[in-house]
Amino acid sequence: MAERKLFAGHAVRRLRRQAGLTQAAMAEALAISPSYLNLVERNQRPLSATLLVRLAESYDFDPRALSAGEPGGGEAAIRRRLADPLFADLEVDRNEIAEWLAGAPGGAEAFARVYDRLVAGGGSGADNGSDPVAEVRREIERWRGYFADLDGAAEALADELRLGAGDLYGAIAERLRVKHQLTIRILPVDVMPDLLRRLDLHARQLQLSETLDSASRTFAAAYQLAQIEARGEIDGLATGAGFADRSAEKLFRRHLASYFAAAVMMPYARFLRACESTGYDLELLQRRFGAGFEQVAHRLTTLQRVGARGLPFFLVRVDRAGQSSKLFSGASGSPLAEAEGRCPLWRLHHAFDRPGSLAIQLVELEDGGRWLTVARTVTPQRRRYGGVPAEFTVGLGVAADLGGTLAIARGVDLRGDATPIGLGCRACLRVDCPQRSAPPAGRTLSIDERERGVSGFSFVGD
């Protein structure tokens, strides 16, 4: 705060409107004049440290949400949208974007929403069809990855199950049998060659493949319990989302059931205490809660309970081709979890070379944001020997200035040199990058036959 001015009028205005207050009422509560609050909301005055503390104390305002609440996701996110070839002839520079966000935040947010709905959802300006996955992702991010009612119900159930037995899987199996007349049956891969889980209502069985490991069996059993006992909460969230596409609603319901299952395996309060006492030690958390690496990593992105927030992590999951199958920014607001492009200098990709090992890296984006990241490969359950082996890398990250207490930060100088990365070549404006594979979208190539730089693509910058 002392090093740079913080303009966050959009966030303050949104907070005031959510609280149903006039400027005069909020100004009185914050012990400032209405005229000063008006200037703050219009980004004509920076948000002082004193005012930020008063907002946090009076309205349970999380200061870390400032970047995530910027119109359109902030300057970097607006730049990524403007990198679309549709806007190539405009060559909008950073100063123009900054002025736009400061002077007309509502207009910038409107542009972002229209672009995401009509263009990004279809993948390009030429195809405006709906994308169920993108719709669900936007709904999850709208909740910042945390569903309070669902999480609370899962925690209460987990406490009840723990009172009955120390073995969570056994306790869930017994509850399904006694309360819902469902038994769990483990079937050979020859019987279920293409399935990992199946509900047979005729036989009153939850059938699980023998290829599932213990963590996955517990998750599958808890998932079934979610579909039965958390139906009300899931129905409410799914209906409230208002999806026009039935496929999107089904995907969202599946996400919510999975969320509940993970929350049963890793109950909020106990899991957060374990995170804070171990320095968010991923491997130790796996063993303590009987969960897989990806399950623990995803749970870390959801710790946003009011009054008991964890660190704001983001998560991405990619394959060897760089395609994303999971993107969760949670409360981090990280561009790394929002961009479809990936930088090869990010060790997210290097994890494939060392399966099962943690690849830890400090990276710095073009906007100066520094992130402490860790990546590891995960292998989904395979059908049988000789089958096609699937492999993904799960990347997890947190703002570097929040990572000092993390186990993965031991031996890492968080204020030292960081690897400069971008958000994929088409969205990256770093010059002279030897790894560049394509020029940035919306920039004019600069070709000089008498010179050759370290990059094969020189371009006119901002």
Side-chain angles (χ1 to χ4, degrees):
M1 288 291 292
E3 296 175 356
R4 64 183 181 92
K5 295 181 179 180
L6 178 60
F7 292 91
H10 52 277
V12 176
R13 185 187 303 113
R14 184 180 297 115
L15 178 67
R16 177 175 62 79
R17 289 176 176 174
Q18 288 175 346
L21 299 174
T22 63
Q23 283 188 337
M26 175 175 267
E28 182 179 358
L30 297 174
I32 60 176
S33 69
S35 59
Y36 178 69
L37 178 59
N38 180 264
L39 291 173
V40 169
E41 289 192 3
R42 291 163 55 195
N43 278 331
Q44 294 183 7
R45 291 290 186 277
L47 191 62
S48 67
T50 300
L51 185 54
L52 184 59
V53 170
R54 290 177 184 172
L55 284 167
E57 291 176 344
S58 302
Y59 302 101
D60 191 44
F61 178 68
D62 184 2
R64 297 175 310 204
L66 288 175
S67 61
E70 292 178 349
E75 182 178 329
I78 293 293
R79 280 180 52 218
R80 287 197 301 276
R81 295 181 179 96
L82 290 173
D84 191 299
L86 181 67
F87 311 116
D89 61 316
L90 301 178
E91 297 191 5
V92 181
D93 63 29
R94 290 176 177 171
N95 290 332
E96 290 180 275
I97 296 174
E99 291 172 1
W100 187 18
L101 291 172
E109 176 65 22
F111 160 75
R113 292 185 185 182
V114 170
Y115 178 88
D116 291 346
R117 175 66 62 85
L118 300 180
V119 180
S124 69
D127 179 7
N128 294 336
S130 64
D131 181 349
V133 176
E135 289 184 37
V136 171
R137 185 175 295 162
R138 283 193 291 269
E139 182 65 14
I140 294 170
E141 296 303 338
R142 187 172 75 85
W143 287 89
R144 298 174 69 190
Y146 174 66
F147 302 92
D149 292 344
L150 202 58
D151 216 309
E155 185 170 35
L157 176 59
D159 289 341
E160 184 179 344
L161 293 172
R162 188 172 60 150
L163 292 175
D167 171 28
L168 181 59
Y169 174 77
I172 295 175
E174 182 67 7
R175 188 179 185 92
L176 287 172
R177 186 186 68 81
V178 173
K179 190 170 182 178
H180 305 293
Q181 293 74 54
L182 282 174
T183 59
I184 296 179
R185 186 178 181 186
I186 309 299
L187 294 179
V189 68
D190 292 336
V191 178
M192 294 176 60
D194 300 311
L195 295 174
L196 298 176
R197 171 180 55 84
R198 177 173 58 199
L199 177 63
D200 187 336
L201 290 176
H202 178 73
R204 303 300 299 173
Q205 289 180 350
L206 173 61
Q207 299 168 348
L208 304 180
S209 170
E210 64 179 345
T211 62
L212 292 174
D213 58 29
S214 59
S216 298
R217 289 184 185 184
T218 303
F219 184 88
Y223 181 94
Q224 184 58 55
L225 208 53
Q227 291 186 312
I228 300 172
E229 299 199 14
R231 180 179 298 174
E233 289 86 352
I234 292 175
D235 284 348
L237 289 165
T239 301
F243 292 114
D245 189 320
R246 179 62 175 161
S247 296
E249 182 180 330
K250 288 183 177 180
L251 279 173
F252 188 52
R253 286 178 178 274
R254 186 171 72 179
H255 174 83
L256 295 175
S258 297
Y259 183 103
F260 185 91
V264 169
M265 292 178 66
M266 295 166 277
Y268 196 102
R270 278 192 280 147
F271 186 73
L272 180 58
R273 285 197 300 271
C275 287
E276 294 175 341
S277 65
T278 65
Y280 290 77
D281 189 315
L282 297 167
E283 295 177 341
L284 186 55
L285 291 171
Q286 282 182 253
R287 291 191 291 271
R288 185 170 296 185
F289 290 90
F293 178 84
E294 187 172 347
Q295 292 169 344
V296 169
H298 191 181
R299 184 59 168 147
L300 290 178
T301 69
T302 68
L303 302 180
Q304 291 301 305
R305 178 175 290 178
V306 173
R309 290 187 171 94
L311 293 180
F313 284 89
F314 71 83
L315 178 147
V316 300
R317 190 179 76 172
V318 300
D319 60 20
R320 282 185 176 270
Q323 301 171 113
S324 305
S325 51
K326 287 186 179 181
L327 294 170
F328 297 110
S329 63
S332 72
S334 175
L336 289 167
E338 299 171 359
E340 286 293 339
R342 297 284 171 265
C343 180
L345 299 178
W346 186 14
R347 288 182 191 160
L348 179 69
H349 305 277
H350 298 190
F352 286 112
D353 298 330
R354 300 179 60 194
S357 298
L358 298 180
I360 301 166
Q361 185 182 25
L362 181 65
V363 299
E364 182 172 336
L365 296 175
E366 290 181 83
D367 62 3
R370 294 162 67 90
W371 301 87
L372 178 62
T373 68
V374 58
R376 206 203 81 169
T377 55
V378 294
T379 303
Q381 313 298 319
R382 63 179 62 185
R383 294 183 297 172
R384 61 179 70 191
Y385 181 77
V388 176
E391 188 178 34
F392 299 91
T393 283
V394 169
L396 195 66
V398 69
D401 58 357
L402 300 176
T405 61
L406 299 183
I408 60 172
R410 293 167 190 161
V412 178
D413 182 1
L414 297 179
R415 295 187 178 182
D417 292 337
T419 303
I421 68 171
L423 301 173
C425 291
R426 298 294 284 171
C428 178
L429 296 178
R430 292 190 187 278
V431 297
D432 298 330
C433 175
Q435 189 66 60
R436 181 174 289 282
S437 298
R443 289 294 178 267
T444 302
L445 283 175
S446 176
I447 301 173
D448 189 336
E449 295 182 354
R450 295 174 299 176
E451 296 180 354
R452 172 64 159 85
V454 296
S455 171
F457 301 97
S458 297
F459 54 92
V460 178
D462 291 345

